[in-house]
Amino acid sequence: MPTTLKDLMNNPKEALLKGHFACAGCGSALAFRHAIGAIADKAVVVIPACCTSVYQGFGRGVAFDVPTINVAFASSDAVAAGIKHAMEKKGKEAHVVAWAGDGGTADIGIATLIGACDRQDNILHIMYSNNVYSNTGGQRSGDTPIGARTTTTPFGNKAQRKMVPFIMMANNASYVATASVAYIPDLVDKVKKAISYDGFKFIEIDASCPVAWKSDSADSIKVARLAVETGVWPLFEWDNKSNKAVLSKRGSKFRNKENRKPIEEWLNIQGRFKGMSDEEIKNLYADVDRQWTFLEKFLE
Amino acid sequence: MAEEVVMLTGNHSVSEAVKRVKPDVIAAYPITPQTAIIEYLSKLVDSGEMDSHFIRVESEHSALAAVAGASWAGARTFTATSSQGLLYMGEWVFWTGYARLPVVMAVVNRCLAPGWSIWVDLQDSMAFRDAGWIQIYNKNNQEVFDTTIQSYKIAESKDIALPVMPCLDGFVLSHTSSKVILSDPEEVYNFVGDYSDPIIEIDTGKPFAYGSIVMPDKYNKDRKDLMEAMERAKAKIKAVNKEFSETFGRTYGNGLIEKYGDDDADLTIVGIGTMADETQQAIDMLTSEGLKVNSVRVRTFRPFPTEDIIDIAKKNHKLLVIDRSVSFGHEGHLQMEIESVLKRNSIDTPVIGKVMGLGGEDVPYTRIAKVAKENL
């Protein structure tokens, strides 16, 4: 039975408690609450440098209700692997999750990520992507979309988006999925499904960041939903047994370009894209097409 | 299986010791001259002779990160590295020390590039003297075996809780076979004890956050605690050395330093690692010529044997400190520490420093004797 919003309201265990430091409208905090909440009883969370290392709070006031280990930037999967191996050796059950941003996953952490995937370490890596180094004030990351104004690309990012889920598919992770804070029940189902697989699992969540995206904090869900509806963020699952990708129910109709809203709708409610030239918009459309062309090879 | 007497390299002396202490998790990455340690352990794990998890990581940074993760989860752990590998894991060397995880990491000392060289000096581990690790430097393969065992007993003591780096000179020890008494595995394991009551242990359903944001007052308290643990470690290292001697009949000075020759010498040669062992031959030669000389081998560089150095400086007339590493813009690391100890304690025994043996340069006892004579 797919998870419903009602189920989430009745979720018996919260991973995120009151008193966290996340900004209003933070997609990462919302995703953490439900993704980790879904597996909280057996979860161990490893967090490299990222917004989550800050918004968990500090001292006796830490707002995470699961064992949480904060670690160096480029090492979350290695630490998670070490924890998982130790717990297995001691005969203890645990879902060890590396919870990292796009910088800690796509950029500085990617060697460690792929290393853990090669070894099929029995862990789940959740990449919450706000497409930018938010914690340090909004610099371009490998997952920044074309055209985005960041503090290190003040006139617009020109580089293509690094599609980490595809990298993980090529590297034979046992389970790969994309998710969005706009579709929380879908995210929860994917997390629960991921932990049913042995070996290395990977989920990337499109997680709104009103600060870096220069969007209204009340629009965090709306922006994330538009990313799906415009085709910018395809929602899918893939596993290495079938080598087939399946579009998620919420996003499946956007496979057909005719059903997609214009990308400009997504761009226009975010200040980070203000001033994009026609050329940049064209390049962004092309980069989105590139993602779908790749994904199509795995769709039925 | 009882005690065995074998010809063994320094690297395999580490492996044999690790085999006997039965770590839960090993993670490692290859680098010369350390690699033979982990190759041997890989074989033991895959053949089922050792019941450990071996994580074949993609970098040294991940090797220490994985071992730290396992240590947080309450596991006994091991890793090993050298030179550039130690530098590459540098972020985690400090992280592990500051987190006070009882990790044991063998460091096979090798100089740093450029240019490419695989031979010994101590620049690699000396670069991490401030990382909160206990560092024990060894003189021969027997000591390598024994120190590796002792390291676990020191690291895992609840009143210490510090990572330990047994250091051995690359090639001079790592790849050179010599006689080693391999103690009975069961006796070794009993000496170290099991690690069923760990210093820290992650448990699901028991939420806690490790390493989140910390304010300056707590941060300072944590570092002060580390400083105090290092101070306590001096007595612990001595006690473990003594207990080891009572159990296995082998001893290394008082655990912190090893003296050679009589007090009241005109010149005391202070050194570290195998060069300090070679120095003993120089002392024999010089003594036979009627000269009043003796030597001291510094075994633990961290914690630094301050009290012993004071004692030596008071009982002798001049110190010649031989370093195999150097702080550019200043002087050799050992000399630096010794001068600081003497100055702080208003001891005016003269100190002469000599940096030798960088990049694997051969330093025979005849050369040490020559330098000693020049400075008598």
Side-chain angles (χ1 to χ4, degrees):
Chain A
M1 282 282 285
T3 303
T4 64
L5 282 172
K6 199 175 165 190
D7 296 334
L8 296 177
M9 303 273 284
N10 297 330
N11 194 340
K13 183 141 174 94
E14 292 276 13
L16 183 68
L17 306 173
K18 286 178 183 171
H20 64 78
F21 294 174
C23 307
C26 172
S28 171
L30 178 66
F32 187 93
R33 179 184 173 194
H34 294 290
I36 304 301
I39 55 170
D41 288 339
K42 292 285 174 199
V44 174
V45 181
V46 179
I47 299 172
C50 62
C51 287
T52 313
S53 27
V54 177
Y55 73 66
Q56 65 188 250
F58 67 92
R60 289 171 190 277
V62 168
F64 287 180
D65 207 17
V66 288
T68 304
I69 306 287
N70 292 284
V71 302
F73 213 168
S75 52
S76 58
D77 299 287
V79 176
I83 292 172
K84 182 64 185 174
H85 277 281
M87 294 186 88
E88 270 177 11
K89 177 73 169 47
K90 288 167 154 272
K92 291 182 183 175
E93 198 195 331
H95 305 307
V96 184
V97 180
W99 175 274
D102 42 310
T105 305
D107 290 346
I108 198 169
I110 200 153
T112 319
L113 174 81
I114 292 175
C117 183
D118 293 341
R119 298 186 299 268
Q120 289 292 350
D121 286 328
N122 198 3
I123 58 174
L124 166 61
H125 184 107
I126 299 183
M127 166 185 178
Y128 69 93
S129 180
N130 43 35
N131 317 147
V132 77
Y133 288 89
S134 254
N135 196 29
T136 44
Q139 299 77 26
R140 179 204 164 264
S141 83
D143 205 34
T144 298
I146 287 174
R149 272 63 178 156
T150 73
T151 59
T152 51
T153 56
F155 303 107
N157 174 46
K158 291 182 173 56
Q160 62 188 2
R161 195 170 178 183
K162 192 187 285 182
M163 284 299 288
V164 184
F166 298 159
I167 296 173
M168 303 321 288
M169 286 160 64
N171 210 55
N172 203 36
S174 65
Y175 175 83
V176 174
T178 58
S180 164
V181 292
Y183 305 101
I184 292 290
D186 176 67
L187 164 64
V188 166
D189 286 337
K190 284 169 176 166
V191 171
K192 285 181 176 168
K193 190 165 176 185
I195 59 162
S196 73
Y197 282 79
D198 280 331
F200 191 85
K201 291 83 66 174
F202 177 86
I203 298 175
E204 178 174 345
I205 306 169
D206 186 44
S208 328
C209 174
V211 178
W213 294 8
K214 299 185 176 63
S215 54
D216 192 322
S217 57
D219 281 345
S220 284
I221 302 302
K222 189 177 169 187
V223 183
R225 190 183 298 127
L226 276 170
V228 175
E229 291 173 347
T230 54
V232 167
W233 189 240
L235 287 183
F236 70 92
E237 293 173 276
W238 171 94
D239 73 21
N240 66 348
K241 290 191 194 98
S242 64
N243 194 26
K244 293 272 182 282
V246 177
L247 291 173
S248 311
K249 195 179 159 205
R250 289 293 193 172
S252 59
K253 71 173 180 180
F254 306 110
R255 182 181 185 181
N256 185 342
K257 273 191 179 179
E258 287 174 11
N259 293 332
R260 292 183 204 165
K261 292 181 177 171
I263 291 178
E264 285 82 347
E265 283 193 33
W266 177 67
L267 298 176
N268 289 343
I269 59 166
Q270 302 177 69
R272 62 172 166 160
F273 295 114
K274 202 173 169 189
M276 262 177 94
S277 65
D278 291 348
E279 175 79 11
E280 283 179 298
I281 292 173
K282 203 183 100 196
N283 290 343
L284 177 60
Y285 266 98
D287 205 44
V288 169
D289 278 348
R290 176 180 68 92
Q291 292 173 33
W292 279 97
T293 305
F294 187 93
L295 185 57
E296 281 291 347
K297 299 185 207 309
F298 298 90
L299 292 172
E300 290 276 284
Chain B
M1 197 176 164
E3 182 178 287
E4 280 181 280
V5 182
V6 295
M7 286 294 285
L8 206 62
T9 62
N11 277 342
H12 284 175
S13 301
V14 174
S15 312
E16 287 288 352
V18 172
K19 176 186 172 185
R20 284 162 171 76
V21 300
K22 303 178 185 173
D24 300 299
V25 177
I26 301 166
Y29 186 82
I31 184 168
T32 305
Q34 166 279 125
T35 314
I37 298 175
I38 60 155
E39 284 174 339
Y40 189 56
L41 291 172
S42 300
K43 191 177 159 195
L44 292 174
V45 170
D46 278 9
S47 67
E49 277 183 80
M50 274 179 82
D51 182 24
S52 305
H53 283 235
F54 196 114
I55 314 176
R56 290 158 184 91
V57 286
E58 75 293 340
S59 73
E60 286 93 354
H61 194 270
S62 287
L64 193 50
V67 157
S71 189
W72 267 310
R76 177 172 285 170
T77 60
F78 177 75
T79 187
T81 194
S82 291
S83 186
Q84 309 301 133
L86 182 62
L87 296 193
Y88 195 64
M89 64 167 60
E91 185 180 23
W92 270 98
V93 178
F94 275 84
W95 207 290
T96 308
Y98 281 20
R100 298 183 55 188
L101 294 170
V103 166
V104 174
M105 171 166 72
V107 171
V108 183
N109 289 109
R110 165 185 153 186
C111 62
L112 302 174
W116 282 121
S117 166
I118 52 173
W119 297 298
V120 60
D121 67 35
L122 308 188
Q123 202 73 27
D124 52 359
S125 53
M126 284 294 171
F128 290 96
R129 66 193 184 276
D130 302 333
W133 286 63
I134 290 170
Q135 292 189 334
I136 307 178
Y137 291 82
N138 296 286
K139 65 172 178 180
N140 59 33
N141 293 347
Q142 183 67 61
E143 189 181 15
V144 166
F145 176 78
D146 295 345
T147 297
T148 306
I149 294 163
Q150 293 175 14
S151 295
Y152 282 90
K153 203 166 172 77
I154 298 161
E156 293 170 1
S157 305
K158 285 202 168 163
D159 56 337
I160 305 297
L162 288 170
V164 181
M165 205 183 273
C167 301
L168 56 147
D169 288 7
F171 292 95
V172 178
L173 296 182
S174 70
H175 285 63
T176 308
S177 290
S178 62
K179 180 187 148 188
V180 177
I181 301 164
L182 295 177
S183 304
D184 176 64
E186 206 178 308
E187 265 186 64
V188 169
Y189 190 75
N190 290 340
F191 175 78
V192 174
D194 69 14
Y195 191 51
S196 57
D197 182 21
I199 287 161
I200 189 167
E201 186 170 19
I202 296 166
D203 256 324
T204 55
K206 285 187 191 167
F208 74 104
Y210 190 89
S212 38
I213 293 174
V214 60
M215 291 292 123
D217 55 342
K218 173 74 164 71
Y219 187 93
N220 278 275
K221 186 189 174 299
D222 288 349
R223 298 302 166 258
K224 190 164 168 279
D225 287 351
L226 199 162
M227 196 72 177
E228 286 168 5
M230 271 288 177
E231 202 54 38
R232 285 194 300 274
K234 290 181 190 173
K236 176 62 74 176
I237 294 163
K238 283 182 175 178
V240 168
N241 181 59
K242 187 161 177 282
E243 194 186 335
F244 191 90
S245 158
E246 286 159 7
T247 313
F248 299 104
R250 298 186 291 274
T251 190
Y252 301 98
N254 69 0
L256 302 179
I257 60 150
E258 191 175 43
K259 297 207 285 187
Y260 190 75
D262 299 328
D263 284 338
D264 196 30
D266 292 330
L267 187 73
T268 300
I269 307 175
V270 187
I272 190 163
T274 53
M275 259 181 12
D277 196 46
E278 185 79 6
T279 299
Q280 296 185 358
Q281 283 198 54
I283 298 300
D284 288 346
M285 188 180 129
L286 295 167
T287 306
S288 72
E289 291 174 18
L291 299 169
K292 284 177 74 181
V293 291
N294 61 14
S295 75
V296 173
R297 178 172 69 92
V298 171
R299 184 170 182 252
T300 63
F301 191 77
R302 283 293 179 273
F304 195 72
T306 305
E307 295 74 15
D308 296 294
I309 294 296
I310 292 172
D311 184 59
I312 288 153
K314 282 183 176 170
K315 286 177 178 164
N316 297 285
H317 302 288
K318 197 198 268 184
L319 306 182
L320 168 63
V321 183
I322 301 181
D323 268 290
R324 200 163 206 164
S325 65
V326 62
S327 180
F328 297 100
H330 197 30
E331 57 195 12
H333 292 111
L334 198 51
Q335 184 191 357
M336 206 187 321
E337 308 299 42
I338 289 170
E339 284 179 344
S340 135
V341 166
L342 300 196
K343 176 80 180 166
R344 196 158 15 113
N345 293 281
S346 308
I347 298 166
D348 55 7
T349 310
V351 177
I352 304 146
K354 185 84 184 166
V355 176
M356 294 197 281
L358 298 185
E361 180 196 29
D362 189 31
V363 182
Y365 71 95
T366 45
R367 185 165 161 216
I368 296 170
K370 187 167 170 278
V371 173
K373 278 182 180 171
E374 285 164 8
N375 289 289
L376 258 165

